[in-house]
Amino acid sequence: MNNLDGKTAWVTGAGSGIGRATAIALAQAGASVVLGDINPAGLEETAGLCGDAATLSLTQDVTSEAAWADGAAAIDARFGRLDILVNNAGIMMAQPFEGAPVEILRRQNRINVESVYIGMQVALPLMRRTIADGAKGASIINIASVYGMVAGAQFAAYSATKGAVRSLSRAVAYELAKTGIRVNCVLPGPVQTNLGADWEPPRDETGAPMPPEVALAAWAQLIPMGRLGIAQDIAPIVAFLAGDDAAFITGAEFVADGGYTAA
């Protein structure tokens, strides 16, 4: 299972969280992993955790078409192939919808949706060539969220972007189904990462800021399994979808949320 020997994978948002855990999982499965992140320090740490498999690190702004093109050129020069793309980079901003500036939506849309759109387009020529050279197929995995399925308090703009990622993934999967390039979507539930690191502090019923540990404990109580997810809960799903064992899976969605959306 999950033998990725000889494959090249590009993971965005690899400097921390789900991106880091995914990069490690792909490296452990045998892939050469290209790490993309806007944070050089995070990239360096992830590269160390991946060992020799992390053969290329890209300081990458995923909203920049030029950065994507430069990354693809670097991968082509180093490997001459691309088998796996994991569009993981994202941002989560919480704010009540009423009175929220439209820039809250625009910023999240640029990072969460436009980067996925650009990344898939940039990856396709390399992936088509990889298949033409004899690979069984190629795999794109886009990271969405259960908040693209269900409502989350103060996450209207974020939910809109993750709903868009779901629809975009299905549409592209349908178009590419006969090419051998598969597109699937993973929908994590609440996971302990730094995705919302720039949130305003959550507040209690009196309006006072809540300590992070109190807010996280309250959130965990909403999950039937009784805990928040961790990045390592998500990475194995991505690793499975990346490999040839998932050769008949495209246009699918995989929810990992501890039962959060089961009710």
Side-chain angles (χ1 to χ4, degrees):
M1 293 286 289
N2 294 338
N3 182 355
L4 303 179
D5 288 348
K7 296 184 184 294
T8 300
W10 188 357
V11 182
T12 67
S16 62
I18 291 172
R20 171 175 290 172
T22 294
I24 293 169
L26 296 176
Q28 290 174 342
S32 297
V33 184
V34 178
L35 308 173
D37 201 285
I38 202 168
N39 179 2
L43 276 177
E44 183 177 357
E45 187 172 348
T46 301
L49 293 169
C50 289
D52 293 341
T55 51
L56 185 61
S57 293
L58 307 171
T59 303
Q60 181 185 5
D61 175 359
V62 293
T63 67
S64 166
E65 293 182 66
W68 275 105
D70 289 345
I75 292 169
D76 191 15
R78 178 72 64 87
F79 304 104
R81 65 184 295 144
L82 180 64
D83 303 86
I84 302 155
L85 172 65
V86 183
N87 278 309
N88 165 76
I91 187 172
M92 185 181 197
M93 301 172 70
Q95 187 159 344
F97 174 73
E98 187 173 3
V102 72
E103 182 55 30
I104 293 290
L105 174 61
R106 288 174 178 157
R107 183 181 178 199
Q108 292 179 95
N109 191 70
R110 286 193 295 269
I111 297 171
N112 296 353
V113 184
E114 290 184 18
S115 73
V116 174
Y117 190 98
I118 299 166
M120 288 194 290
Q121 286 191 331
V122 166
L124 290 183
L126 270 173
M127 288 184 162
R128 287 182 182 274
R129 192 184 336 141
T130 298
I131 293 171
D133 288 342
K136 291 182 180 179
S139 178
I140 297 172
I141 303 107
N142 298 324
I143 307 300
S145 168
V146 294
Y147 285 136
M149 298 172 56
V150 298
Q154 303 189 20
F155 293 136
Y158 178 76
S159 294
T161 65
K162 291 304 185 177
V165 171
R166 293 178 65 204
S167 295
L168 177 60
S169 299
R170 289 195 300 270
V172 177
Y174 186 81
E175 284 194 35
L176 298 179
K178 293 182 179 180
T179 69
I181 300 172
R182 300 178 292 107
V183 184
N184 292 292
C185 201
V186 177
L187 283 63
V191 173
Q192 296 183 66
T193 71
N194 65 352
L195 182 65
D198 62 349
W199 288 5
E200 288 294 318
R203 297 179 180 274
D204 62 22
E205 62 276 4
T206 69
M210 295 173 63
E213 62 274 13
V214 173
L216 290 173
W219 209 359
Q221 289 178 2
L222 301 175
I223 300 173
M225 282 190 171
R227 68 170 178 88
L228 295 174
I230 58 175
Q232 290 76 13
D233 292 323
I234 312 303
I237 303 171
V238 180
F240 166 69
L241 291 171
D244 294 336
D245 292 322
F248 198 54
I249 301 174
T250 195
E253 296 180 341
F254 289 75
V255 175
D257 66 356
Y260 186 75
T261 59

